[in-house]
Amino acid sequence: MPAIRRFLKATSAIAIAGPLFALSPTAHAQQGNTVSPAYAKAYVNTYAQAPSHYSPSDLSAQAGWLYPGNNYFYCQYNNPDDETYYHGHKNHWWAKTDDDSGNTNVWISEVYMTPGQDDQPAVPFSVLPLC
């Protein structure tokens, strides 16, 4: 148990790159019988209202919405077969979160995150790991 306490204490005090990224202690999101992996939450700014999806693809059913602001994410995934376009930008990276409509373990295209470049992860892997 002491190792877990040290880990939680260390991760709760980490802040990376000012207000754009931050880590918090590990949390589990649940939906039915599924549990989100034990990733530390990474807080990232989203600049637009983003549709959430049940899988990392615009082709999957829309689950709900994530509103602009400082939102938490668990991990990220590259889906080069499905690109999302928004206001002249495009991205095929997705991030797992819980949306503002009450859905857990849903996906948001990283095209709605700041900072971001086309077809690149919006967040470094050291902050938001691969799923």
Side-chain angles (χ1 to χ4, degrees):
M1 273 306 220
I4 293 172
R5 284 192 200 114
R6 283 195 304 269
F7 172 75
L8 291 176
K9 184 176 180 181
T11 58
S12 65
I14 296 173
I16 299 175
L20 293 179
F21 312 116
L23 298 177
S24 76
T26 301
H28 294 281
Q30 295 187 10
Q31 179 178 3
N33 292 329
T34 62
V35 176
S36 183
Y39 296 112
K41 290 180 182 178
Y43 285 83
V44 181
N45 187 46
T46 54
Y47 69 93
Q49 182 171 322
S52 63
H53 295 269
Y54 291 111
S55 65
S57 169
D58 274 338
L59 302 176
S60 72
Q62 183 175 334
W65 294 97
L66 184 69
Y67 300 123
N70 197 25
N71 293 291
Y72 66 85
F73 296 89
Y74 297 111
C75 59
Q76 57 188 329
Y77 175 79
N78 183 9
N79 183 357
D81 296 327
D82 188 11
E83 220 159 32
T84 302
Y85 295 85
Y86 183 76
H87 283 249
H89 295 282
K90 61 182 181 165
N91 208 319
H92 51 75
W93 283 86
W94 293 79
K96 188 179 235 182
T97 190
D98 305 324
D99 69 20
D100 292 316
S101 300
N103 300 298
T104 59
N105 293 323
V106 292
W107 297 88
I108 304 296
S109 171
E110 291 190 23
V111 76
Y112 301 104
M113 293 178 169
T114 52
Q117 296 178 0
D118 288 353
D119 295 330
Q120 298 295 317
V123 184
F125 298 130
S126 61
V127 176
L128 190 60
L130 288 172
C131 295

